[in-house]
Amino acid sequence: MADPWVALSAIASATDTLRLGPMVTPLARRRVQKLAGETVTLDHLSNGRLTLGVGLGNADDVEPFGEAVDPRERGRLLDEGLDRSAGSGVGDSGRCRYSAHGSRSGSRPAGPNRRPVRRAVRLDGLFPIDLPGPEGLAGLAEEVRRARAGSDAPFDLVVEVPPGADVRPWEAAGATWVLTSMDPQPPEPEVRAVVDAGP
């Protein structure tokens, strides 16, 4: 798999208007000062087109390296990283930062885990993973609205759908961004078809 920061830098240099960003940066296993340098550099190289997504990441990717795999511990590290990143340049350029979350294995069906929602309302958006459908997003949107009562700052709800899916039900449920999901190694024709279809 390509390093996201190197790949995004190449994309930034070859495009002018495309918004850039990693879907999820697992801040729980990153050094804040290193991430600050990467994000600020990419944001400047792209003329302010960076959107930084943060979250727990996939525990399967790090378990062989001795990293924390317990979701609560990774959540604690993520919160600590977010606190330490304040003022460090991570997401400080006025660009959107959002938090991604999903359900824990073996727990209730996917939906709003309370701590991730509280984390996300401190940022600029939420990317709920594994929602059962637009109705799940509508409930989450209401919960976010209540949690952000009194704030008129923009807040994004990001969802992921398969290529060609009808996005109107998601938009009606509150989605402000809809990402097209693809396998990690999609065939080039599939990628070109999604690009050609446009937003």
Side-chain angles (χ1 to χ4, degrees):
M1 185 173 288
D3 177 85
W5 301 104
V6 174
L8 289 168
S9 296
I11 294 167
S13 69
T15 62
D16 295 316
T17 59
L18 189 69
R19 189 154 263 304
L20 312 166
M23 188 177 293
V24 179
T25 299
L27 193 52
R29 62 182 195 242
R30 298 293 308 273
R31 292 184 182 267
V32 171
Q33 64 274 22
K34 174 87 165 96
L35 183 62
E38 293 166 344
T39 57
V40 170
T41 301
L42 182 56
D43 199 46
H44 285 270
L45 287 173
S46 67
N47 294 317
R49 293 184 285 139
L50 174 65
T51 297
L52 176 64
V54 297
L56 299 184
N58 186 345
D60 296 341
D61 294 340
V62 296
E63 188 170 17
F65 302 101
E67 300 272 349
V69 295
D70 177 68
R72 287 196 171 112
E73 175 62 10
R74 288 186 298 138
R76 184 190 69 73
L77 291 169
L78 173 56
D79 288 335
E80 183 180 287
L82 286 169
D83 290 342
R84 289 181 55 221
S85 73
S88 70
V90 177
D92 290 346
S93 64
R95 312 301 176 236
C96 175
R97 292 189 304 167
Y98 65 79
S99 177
H101 83 91
S103 62
R104 289 194 305 267
S105 173
S107 67
R108 66 177 185 253
N113 292 320
R114 300 304 174 242
R115 186 167 289 150
V117 171
R118 287 195 306 266
R119 178 181 302 125
V121 297
R122 296 171 26 199
L123 304 174
D124 300 319
L126 175 63
F127 179 8
I129 298 169
D130 297 331
L131 282 174
E135 66 284 352
L137 181 66
L140 187 54
E142 177 59 24
E143 183 173 350
V144 166
R145 188 193 62 73
R146 285 194 310 267
R148 290 176 52 85
S151 173
D152 58 355
F155 190 85
D156 283 305
L157 286 172
V158 184
V159 296
E160 186 178 36
V161 300
D166 183 2
V167 301
R168 289 174 296 188
W170 292 100
E171 184 180 17
T176 57
W177 285 17
V178 179
L179 306 177
T180 303
S181 63
M182 294 188 172
D183 293 330
Q185 302 283 331
E188 183 179 334
E190 181 181 333
V191 175
R192 289 194 179 277
V194 168
V195 171
D196 290 343

